[in-house]
Amino acid sequence: MSQIVSSRVRPRTPSPTPPIPTKKVKHDNGIDEANPASKFTLGLLQPANAQRLHQEYIESSPFKHIVIEKLFDDQLLKNVKDEILQNIRFTEKETDIYKVHQTGDLASLSYLSAEQLALFPSLKCLRDALYGSEFRGFLRTVTGCGPLSGSKQDMSVNSYKKGCHLLNHDDVIGSRRVSYILYLPLPVDEPWQASYGGALELYPTVKNSEGILEPLPSPSKIIPPSWNQFVFFEVQPGKSFHSVEEVVVDSDNVDRQRLSISGWFHKPQEGEEGYEPEDPNRDKSSLEQLSSFTAPLTPYPDDMVPHSATEGLTGEDVEFLAGYINHTYLTEAPMKALARRFADESCIELGSFLEETLGSALERDIRQQDADDDYAGGSRGGTVPSHSSGVGQDWILKGPPHKLRYCTLSFPDQGLCKTTVANTFRKLQDDLFPSSAFRSWLRLISSMTPTKYNIEARRFRPGMDYTLARSDQDRSKLDIILGLTPMPPGEARHDGWDPAWGGWDCYMAPHQGEEDPAVYRSYSKGRDRTEDGMVEDEEETDDGDGTLIVSHPNFNRLLIVLRDAKVLNFVKYVSAEAQGSRWDVCGEWEVEDGEDES
């Protein structure tokens, strides 16, 4: 099995890692309680203004939030910007849910030496004003959220450059009570355009079949960033779902970036007035909902019995499968070789899996569909498409987006789809993979008996779609992914999809602990790949972060993986820069050991 390293599972939002000074001695916060209002826009903290904002807050949708167009004194904020750019180092972080450049926790300003602190007079002034008692009181009046901690400060600077994004989540972690974002988009003297991306997206919710609130696939409010703009809202499980649109600004302009200071106001900590122990019966966060997410499986009919290894495929099986599958994979010697390899590695990839005529026609039709939807060959110029793009005719949008988002086949009343490409996908999804013949073929390759299945044709649109890391907590599953993503014209098939575009399948060992995630430096930074599209082993750099398999988008290649219980799997967000959609037919099977069958 090809392996790569250097990644860990993440918290739902990028948490700042505190820098460690040479000598950790905490100084007095030095909050200027005498006149903190002078740091803010004139009249902002006045009681009448706070009451006016409170009314706006309770009437806002899709969940309660407030946008303040100018928070701080403008010169103070420009000084803060200069101190950040001149004196603070950013670290690039990338996981299944985000890509961002981030500083350490600004609460660490309290631990700096006097010499170090002299570099950040304006930044410390801003932090102390934000977390001072007067502004916390202002937030309580506007939101009605209850008391806020004055001792727990939680903030960092984030830079979203080209390709950076933050996917759907509700911010519910620990004692967070109010989320906020203060925007400093650069350059200061040029307004940030909506076409640059980077907007804050807010999602409406609906109750699912279990009565749990989940976000709808598309946002109902989009807030582009602007200089000195301040957005805040109360953190609420099942309600405060939001995301940050991918930044697509021209990378040649290194000065243009979506800079922001963001963080959380927390509930009172132990020893503070208003402290309350955490309620064990609280609603689940999006992270907790995701970890328990499994797709429903369909059992095979009782009278459908797969053939044993000694019986092999029947003539009827071969005749049916030959209408779809390359005949090489239906003959005895190659099948036995594949079975031996799978027994050794628990993972195999089969190139040119579909029969040649079928594969060629499908590739042509997929290219045409992407061209019709303005996805092909970078025709959009890297811009983020609308959330409704690619939806309609034969494809519907699937969520909820705090777990996944992509297009899947709709269910036409007449049984046939409107387009040729969708009809072919439906045949693969509904006829080939659930069939008795394919079940027998899979039994012979894996030496396990498939008992239940879930199969789905999927389209991941550039700038829109992904799945977040999930696992089955109880038992192993057999995963099959038939990659059907055409490569950019004129490129070698295994080199054509740029890893920076995302869209790769990733399998990771179970997460241990709550440490902040490392950068996916292995496969998003252009690591060498073998001819089968897998990332080469690099044992000398193995730091034990737990990434097991990465398979890049490809065309007409079947990946078969035995996914152990608790192993995580996700499809990385497809960047707006991608020169086409990522297409596949994906299935998972519940299996039993074939040797246990009588």
Side-chain angles (χ1 to χ4, degrees):
M1 180 189 301
S2 295
Q3 295 185 336
I4 68 170
V5 297
S6 303
S7 61
R8 283 171 283 194
V9 184
R10 71 290 172 251
R12 308 316 299 162
T13 49
S15 300
T17 303
I20 302 175
T22 54
K23 187 176 182 181
K24 198 168 186 179
V25 180
K26 186 172 183 179
H27 300 274
D28 179 20
N29 283 336
I31 296 176
D32 179 10
E33 297 286 1
N35 189 23
S38 64
K39 313 298 187 299
F40 296 98
T41 299
L42 184 64
L44 177 69
L45 305 185
Q46 292 297 315
N49 188 56
Q51 288 298 330
R52 179 186 64 80
L53 291 173
H54 173 68
Q55 190 62 35
E56 288 184 17
Y57 183 79
I58 61 177
E59 295 174 356
S60 60
S61 64
F63 56 84
K64 295 180 178 62
H65 67 280
I66 277 292
V67 180
I68 295 175
E69 293 301 337
K70 188 173 182 181
L71 181 70
F72 279 108
D73 171 79
D74 201 58
Q75 188 57 54
L76 171 65
L77 205 58
K78 289 179 179 178
N79 293 342
V80 167
K81 179 264 298 182
D82 291 339
E83 291 172 8
I84 290 170
L85 297 181
Q86 294 170 11
N87 300 312
I88 299 183
R89 181 176 61 87
F90 288 80
T91 299
E92 182 181 355
K93 296 182 178 181
E94 184 174 9
T95 68
D96 61 329
I97 193 171
Y98 59 76
K99 178 179 179 181
V100 65
H101 302 262
Q102 189 179 70
T103 68
D105 190 344
L106 298 185
S108 63
L109 290 173
S110 299
Y111 298 99
L112 298 181
S113 67
E115 182 180 1
Q116 292 170 321
L117 199 57
L119 299 173
F120 307 106
S122 299
L123 182 58
K124 184 177 183 299
C125 178
L126 180 146
R127 185 203 66 171
D128 293 347
L130 273 179
Y131 285 92
S133 60
E134 187 167 2
F135 191 72
R136 284 186 284 118
F138 168 79
L139 290 179
R140 289 187 62 179
T141 300
V142 174
T143 64
C145 66
L148 299 171
S149 173
S151 64
K152 187 171 179 62
Q153 301 173 354
D154 188 357
M155 62 189 298
S156 64
V157 185
N158 296 281
S159 173
Y160 285 74
K161 300 179 181 180
K162 187 173 183 178
C164 291
H165 57 271
L166 174 59
L167 305 181
N168 189 284
H169 63 290
D170 61 8
D171 262 4
V172 178
I173 294 178
S175 61
R176 294 175 179 176
R177 174 159 272 175
V178 173
S179 291
Y180 68 86
I181 311 101
L182 172 62
Y183 291 108
L184 298 83
L186 302 179
V188 177
D189 55 352
E190 295 183 25
W192 186 270
Q193 303 298 318
S195 61
Y196 299 163
L200 179 66
E201 302 174 315
L202 309 183
Y203 291 74
T205 56
V206 65
K207 286 186 178 180
N208 64 16
S209 59
E210 298 176 351
I212 298 173
L213 285 172
E214 292 184 330
L216 292 176
S218 300
S220 61
K221 184 162 186 177
I222 297 176
I223 306 171
S226 63
W227 177 262
N228 207 356
Q229 183 186 65
F230 188 72
V231 183
F232 63 94
F233 52 85
E234 188 174 359
V235 175
Q236 294 179 290
K239 294 184 180 180
S240 53
F241 288 105
H242 59 285
S243 60
V244 175
E245 181 184 50
E246 181 183 356
V247 170
V248 294
V249 66
D250 188 357
S251 59
D252 292 337
N253 188 340
V254 295
D255 292 327
R256 195 175 296 286
Q257 54 184 296
R258 178 193 181 273
L259 197 68
S260 66
I261 297 175
S262 60
W264 299 270
F265 291 89
H266 287 255
K267 300 174 185 178
Q269 304 299 292
E270 190 169 1
E272 289 186 301
E273 184 178 354
Y275 168 74
E276 296 179 357
E278 183 176 349
D279 181 3
N281 299 316
R282 62 176 173 78
D283 294 335
K284 285 185 176 181
S285 68
S286 58
L287 173 59
E288 292 167 321
Q289 292 179 38
L290 181 62
S291 63
S292 60
F293 170 65
T294 56
L297 302 179
T298 302
Y300 286 101
D302 293 337
D303 59 353
M304 184 189 289
V305 180
H307 304 297
S308 67
T310 54
E311 294 174 320
L313 296 175
T314 67
E316 186 177 352
D317 289 338
V318 173
E319 182 180 2
F320 172 79
L321 294 174
Y324 297 94
I325 299 176
N326 186 330
H327 194 269
T328 300
Y329 298 125
L330 303 177
T331 54
E332 184 176 2
M335 288 181 64
K336 287 184 176 179
L338 290 173
R340 288 192 297 269
R341 182 180 173 189
F342 187 80
D344 291 339
E345 300 182 5
S346 300
C347 173
I348 53 175
E349 280 197 312
L350 284 61
S352 301
F353 179 73
L354 294 179
E355 181 269 329
E356 183 176 2
T357 301
L358 174 62
S360 297
L362 182 55
E363 182 175 12
R364 180 194 65 230
D365 292 341
I366 289 173
R367 289 188 186 278
Q368 185 60 53
Q369 185 68 63
D370 264 353
D372 291 346
D373 292 333
D374 201 24
Y375 287 138
S379 56
R380 290 172 296 100
T383 58
V384 177
S386 71
H387 281 267
S388 62
S389 64
V391 179
Q393 285 193 318
D394 302 311
W395 299 89
I396 58 175
L397 194 56
K398 181 171 182 177
H402 69 303
K403 300 176 181 179
L404 54 86
R405 184 169 64 201
Y406 50 79
C407 295
T408 190
L409 289 171
S410 58
F411 299 93
D413 295 335
Q414 305 303 317
L416 288 177
C417 300
K418 298 177 182 178
T419 59
T420 302
V421 66
N423 276 317
T424 305
F425 271 98
R426 185 169 293 285
K427 289 178 181 178
L428 296 174
Q429 173 189 277
D430 296 346
D431 298 341
L432 172 62
F433 287 118
S435 68
S436 174
F438 187 79
R439 185 190 188 196
S440 294
W441 182 87
L442 194 56
R443 163 72 174 80
L444 296 172
I445 298 297
S446 67
S447 299
M448 290 177 284
T449 301
T451 59
K452 300 178 182 179
Y453 63 90
N454 179 69
I455 303 161
E456 194 171 40
R458 306 185 298 183
R459 181 190 193 181
F460 294 80
R461 303 161 298 163
M464 286 286 124
D465 297 335
Y466 53 87
T467 69
L468 298 184
R470 68 178 183 92
S471 65
D472 191 295
Q473 298 297 304
D474 301 322
R475 61 186 303 164
S476 298
K477 297 283 181 64
L478 195 64
D479 289 349
I480 286 188
I481 302 169
L482 176 58
L484 294 171
T485 304
M487 296 295 99
E491 300 283 351
R493 284 190 173 272
H494 62 281
D495 287 334
W497 186 273
D498 189 335
W501 297 345
W504 20 264
D505 278 280
C506 183
Y507 288 82
M508 293 178 13
H511 176 45
Q512 300 293 331
E514 297 296 332
E515 69 272 17
D516 197 42
V519 176
Y520 284 132
R521 56 182 176 271
S522 302
Y523 43 92
S524 65
K525 298 300 182 184
R527 285 269 307 280
D528 291 335
R529 279 177 283 162
T530 60
E531 290 191 0
D532 63 3
M534 304 287 279
V535 179
E536 290 184 329
D537 293 344
E538 200 168 283
E539 295 180 359
E540 67 272 14
T541 64
D542 189 348
D543 58 5
D545 284 333
T547 304
L548 304 175
I549 304 169
V550 166
S551 182
H552 291 266
N554 51 69
F555 186 80
N556 199 10
R557 184 177 298 125
L558 187 77
L559 173 68
I560 307 177
V561 178
L562 179 59
R563 171 168 48 89
D564 291 337
K566 300 183 180 180
V567 167
L568 294 151
N569 169 242
F570 65 90
V571 175
K572 177 63 179 174
Y573 165 82
V574 180
S575 170
E577 192 73 8
Q579 296 188 21
S581 302
R582 177 204 180 280
W583 304 77
D584 71 18
V585 180
C586 176
E588 63 175 338
W589 277 259
E590 193 170 287
V591 291
E592 296 176 353
D593 193 327
E595 296 179 358
D596 293 336
E597 296 291 303
S598 58

